[in-house]
Amino acid sequence: MIDIDALRPQFLSILRIVSALTLLQYGTGKLLGFPALERVPAMFSLPWIAGTMELIGGALLLLGLFTRPVAFIISGLMAFAYWIGHAQNSIFPILNGGNLAIVYCFVFLYLFAAGPGPWSLDAYRRSPASAA
């Protein structure tokens, strides 16, 4: 029998990695053109700034570097994205397309509280073996 509770830290790392990869695609799409999006934001516009935060934050979260502060900032970005980009169309997420922004907001808020998990550069930097 597999003890799922014993694997909780590894699943935290998996949640961070998968969330970071899916966030990263928004930043690469907006700023690097891959995957190609219908609209490329103008430089220094709000979508461009969000894309920059998604690209840099997604990369840092993928590596598990500065996870807590980055996750907090990205959580706020997703809350901002929901209220600025989605809620003006309808208060109901199913009608305004804001479901993913809400889920991202709370996943990243959870990562802020829980940390990066063991498979991260943050964990490596804290380990006694890395100090030697």
Side-chain angles (χ1 to χ4, degrees):
M1 186 69 125
I2 297 174
D3 182 12
I4 296 296
D5 283 337
L7 297 175
R8 188 177 297 156
Q10 289 77 13
F11 277 105
L12 177 59
S13 289
I14 292 169
L15 175 66
R16 176 186 47 79
I17 291 166
V18 171
S19 299
L21 282 171
T22 59
L23 175 72
L24 192 58
Q25 71 181 340
Y26 288 95
T28 60
K30 289 175 186 169
L31 299 179
L32 306 177
F34 181 79
L37 301 175
E38 290 180 19
R39 293 183 296 161
V40 176
M43 190 173 282
F44 301 112
S45 65
L46 281 178
W48 184 87
I49 292 168
T52 302
M53 293 173 73
E54 291 160 351
L55 181 67
I56 295 168
L60 289 171
L61 288 170
L62 179 62
L63 297 170
L65 186 61
F66 309 118
T67 301
R68 288 179 191 263
V70 171
F72 184 75
I73 291 167
I74 298 299
S75 176
L77 173 67
M78 293 297 109
F80 184 77
Y82 179 79
W83 289 109
I84 297 299
H86 297 282
Q88 62 190 3
N89 300 325
S90 170
I91 194 68
F92 300 106
I94 196 166
L95 298 177
N96 67 28
N99 292 347
L100 189 55
I102 292 171
V103 171
Y104 271 146
C105 178
F106 284 94
V107 165
F108 293 124
L109 189 61
Y110 175 71
L111 289 173
F112 164 69
W119 300 335
S120 66
L121 290 178
D122 287 339
Y124 176 77
R125 292 182 328 134
R126 281 192 311 270
S127 71
S130 68

